[in-house]
């Protein structure tokens, strides 16, 4: 509900009427929410919310089978649009209206502050959002966040894991800011041609019959061209382990509260994604940044294995990375079919964002979470 709009009251019939993908409302007690914009984001899928359109979700929010986290409840509040008028008596309706008037006054005060800021700089790139309380938040959202978060100290970890639904401005410099944003399609555009070329190169090189794996100075094993798919899948499997390790030990490191630079680095690498998980411009790696990781992976394999074998494993890992970035984007914005593999992954990943930030580090697969004891408990949605 817009801050400048008075609280509205809806009948049960009005709420029940909004049950399509173009307009979907739900209830939580007497509070009415328009969750149309959230349908594709919901970890349980669009159909699950639509099947409960116009109904009270209090039981579903409390569980079982799944009790929604505090962050999930906070997220829901941004879709609040008014109150339900059950028509059960003048006293109840009067109470609702008084509550609405009090909320209206609070929102009016907030709106005046917002309008004042916008009037000061009409063209400011730091747009305000109703999901951020400017008076209570620990950072100034009207300024770039990159140089602010390091000062949060011990409050940073709790702050960064309270997600908001708004884009983040990292840098004031427009060129630096643009360099941190990437549309999803640039990942396959940049990397798939390299994958296809290296696949062809490795297969044709192995087909010449000159590639051998030397076990000792006197004994070696010839590598047939039909071994390429095996080497390729070995690289892909190796990538899933690297994906897990990077996500767990680098992206989810807990920077020391007194270290301004490590906190800033963490926020730039991954903290900003947890603070704004639906910022579509920062869901995949910029090719420039990814090339550093890709180059290190390539050099390590080529130093460890004979060149053709190393490149064969490398291209499998590179393909695994491309699939990882595409799946990660889809888990945030896609609406997979209920019961499918991607449906389970989406539910798993959203729980990682909203409730289990210290576990559930697998993206393309949950395999490595199990031997390292970081799997999120299985719950039905």
């Amino acid at each position: 509900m817009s801050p400048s709009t008075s609280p509205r009251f809806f009948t049960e019939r009005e709420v029940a009427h909004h049950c399509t993908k173009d307009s979907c409302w739900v209830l939580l007690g007497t509070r009415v929410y328009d969750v149309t914009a959230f349908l594709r984001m919901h970890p349980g899928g669009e159909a699950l919310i639509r099947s409960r359109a116009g109904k009270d979700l209090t039981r579903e929010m409390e569980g079982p089978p799944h009790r929604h986290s505090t962050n999930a409840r906070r997220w829901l509040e941004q879709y609040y649009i008014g109150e339900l008028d059950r028509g059960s008596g003048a006293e109840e309706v009067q109470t609702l209206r008084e509550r609405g008037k009090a909320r209206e006054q609070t929102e009016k005060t907030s709106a005046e502050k917002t309008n004042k800021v916008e009037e000061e700089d009409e063209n400011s790139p730091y747009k305000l959002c109703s999901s951020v309380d400017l008076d209570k938040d620990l950072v100034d959202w009207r300024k770039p966040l990159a140089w602010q978060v390091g000062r949060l100290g011990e409050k940073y970890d709790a702050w960064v894991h309270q997600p908001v639904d708004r884009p983040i401005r990292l840098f004031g410099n427009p060129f630096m800011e643009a360099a941190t944003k990437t549309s999803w399609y640039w990942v396959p555009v940049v990397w798939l041609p390299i994958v296809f070329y290296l696949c062809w190169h490795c297969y044709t090189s192995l087909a010449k019959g000159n590639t051998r794996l030397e076990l000792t100075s006197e004994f070696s094993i010839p590598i047939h061209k039909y071994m390429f798919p095996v080497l390729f899948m070995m690289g892909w499997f190796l990538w899933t382990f690297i994906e897990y390790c990077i996500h767990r030990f680098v992206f989810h490191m807990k920077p020391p509260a007194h270290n301004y630079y490590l906190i800033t680095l963490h926020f730039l690498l991954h903290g900003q994604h947890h603070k704004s998980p639906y910022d579509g411009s920062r869901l995949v790696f910029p090719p420039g940044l990814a090339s550093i990781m890709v180059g290190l992976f390539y050099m390590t394999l080529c130093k460890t294995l004979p060149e053709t074998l190393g490149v064969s494993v490398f291209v499998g890992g590179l393909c695994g990375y491309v699939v990882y970035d595409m799946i990660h984007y889809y888990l945030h914005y896609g609406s997979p079919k209920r019961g499918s593999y991607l449906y389970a992954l989406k539910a798993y990943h959203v729980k990682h964002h909203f409730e289990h930030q210290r576990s559930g580090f697998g993206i393309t697969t949950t395999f490595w979470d199990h031997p390292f004891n970081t799997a999120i408990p299985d719950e039905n949605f």
Side-chain angles (χ1 to χ4, degrees):
M1 183 172 58
S2 172
S4 60
T5 304
S6 300
R8 296 180 59 189
F9 292 86
F10 305 95
T11 65
E12 291 182 332
R13 177 174 295 183
E14 285 179 302
V15 174
H17 180 70
H18 295 270
C19 58
T20 68
K21 66 178 182 179
D22 298 319
S23 182
C24 184
W25 294 6
V26 296
L27 295 167
L28 198 62
T30 61
R31 296 173 68 79
V32 183
Y33 301 86
D34 181 354
V35 295
T36 309
F38 184 66
L39 289 178
R40 290 183 60 193
M41 304 177 191
H42 184 246
E46 177 181 324
L48 192 62
I49 295 185
R50 288 182 58 189
S51 67
R52 292 164 171 77
K55 300 177 182 177
D56 189 349
L57 300 184
T58 301
R59 190 187 69 81
E60 284 78 3
M61 293 292 288
E62 293 294 335
H66 172 65
R67 188 179 189 278
H68 288 68
S69 66
T70 301
N71 278 335
R73 295 165 184 269
R74 184 185 296 113
W75 190 275
L76 178 64
E77 287 306 311
Q78 67 192 311
Y79 303 116
Y80 171 78
I81 57 173
E83 300 281 348
L84 179 67
D85 185 350
R86 298 184 184 276
S88 57
E91 184 176 344
E92 180 181 354
V93 174
Q94 182 62 25
T95 300
L96 290 174
R97 294 189 183 279
E98 289 176 355
R99 190 185 306 163
K101 289 179 180 179
R103 188 178 296 109
E104 179 182 11
Q105 183 59 40
T106 301
E107 292 175 342
K108 182 178 179 181
T109 303
S110 177
E112 289 173 353
K113 295 178 181 179
T114 298
N115 292 335
K116 182 178 180 181
V117 171
E118 291 178 341
E119 287 171 3
E120 292 175 354
D121 187 359
E122 188 177 11
N123 298 317
S124 172
Y126 315 115
K127 299 300 182 181
L128 306 181
C129 180
S130 60
S131 60
V132 176
D133 190 325
L134 296 178
D135 294 325
K136 297 180 180 180
D137 205 84
L138 300 177
V139 298
D140 186 349
W141 286 85
R142 295 177 293 273
K143 299 177 180 179
L145 298 189
W147 314 126
Q148 299 186 62
V149 295
R151 301 188 183 94
L152 296 182
E154 60 184 14
K155 297 179 181 179
Y156 169 75
D157 189 65
W159 175 85
V160 82
H161 290 121
Q162 294 175 355
V164 297
D165 187 13
R166 60 156 292 152
I168 284 178
R169 178 89 182 194
L170 290 176
F171 301 103
N173 184 290
F175 295 102
M176 292 181 65
E177 178 69 9
T180 66
K181 296 182 177 182
T182 307
S183 298
W184 68 268
Y185 52 79
W186 281 113
V187 174
V189 165
V190 170
W191 297 113
L192 283 186
I194 299 175
V195 170
F196 294 144
Y197 170 75
L198 290 180
C199 284
W200 171 82
H201 171 74
C202 292
Y203 183 80
T204 55
S205 297
L206 291 174
K208 295 177 181 178
N210 300 325
T211 305
R212 304 181 70 89
L213 178 61
E214 295 186 5
L215 301 180
T216 66
S217 58
E218 298 179 352
F219 181 72
S220 62
I221 301 174
I223 305 299
H224 197 273
K225 63 181 180 181
Y226 295 124
M227 281 295 294
F228 174 72
V230 177
L231 296 169
F232 183 92
M233 293 309 299
M234 285 175 58
W236 196 321
F237 183 71
L238 178 60
W239 161 255
T240 63
F241 178 67
I242 295 173
E243 167 197 314
Y244 174 86
C245 290
I246 291 176
H247 192 189
R248 179 179 179 182
F249 298 111
V250 179
F251 290 170
H252 278 274
M253 68 172 179
K254 190 173 182 179
H258 63 276
N259 196 312
Y260 172 91
Y261 297 102
L262 281 181
I263 291 176
T264 302
L265 177 63
H266 177 269
F267 187 71
L268 293 176
L269 286 177
H270 196 62
Q272 48 85 16
H273 174 54
H274 268 262
K275 189 61 182 177
S276 181
Y278 293 103
D279 184 349
S281 65
R282 292 194 174 96
L283 286 178
V284 298
F285 278 98
L289 179 61
S291 63
I292 299 175
M293 178 185 65
V294 170
L296 290 173
F297 185 49
Y298 175 82
M299 290 188 293
T300 301
L301 289 173
C302 288
K303 290 288 185 180
T304 306
L305 299 170
E307 182 179 357
T308 303
L309 297 185
V311 177
S312 298
V313 175
F314 164 77
V315 70
L318 182 58
C319 186
Y321 157 69
V322 175
V323 172
Y324 150 79
D325 247 352
M326 294 298 92
I327 285 182
H328 183 231
Y329 186 89
Y330 185 77
L331 296 185
H332 281 264
Y333 277 103
S335 184
K337 183 179 180 181
R338 186 174 179 83
S340 65
Y341 178 69
L342 288 176
Y343 179 91
L345 278 184
K346 182 179 176 73
Y348 191 82
H349 188 59
V350 174
K351 283 193 286 185
H352 164 74
H353 270 281
F354 284 85
E355 190 172 2
H356 299 275
Q357 293 91 352
R358 298 301 177 190
S359 56
F361 300 110
I363 305 295
T364 57
T365 175
T366 63
F367 175 81
W368 295 105
D369 278 314
H370 296 283
F372 289 102
N373 199 31
T374 56
I376 296 175
D378 186 27
E379 294 176 342
N380 295 319
F381 281 82

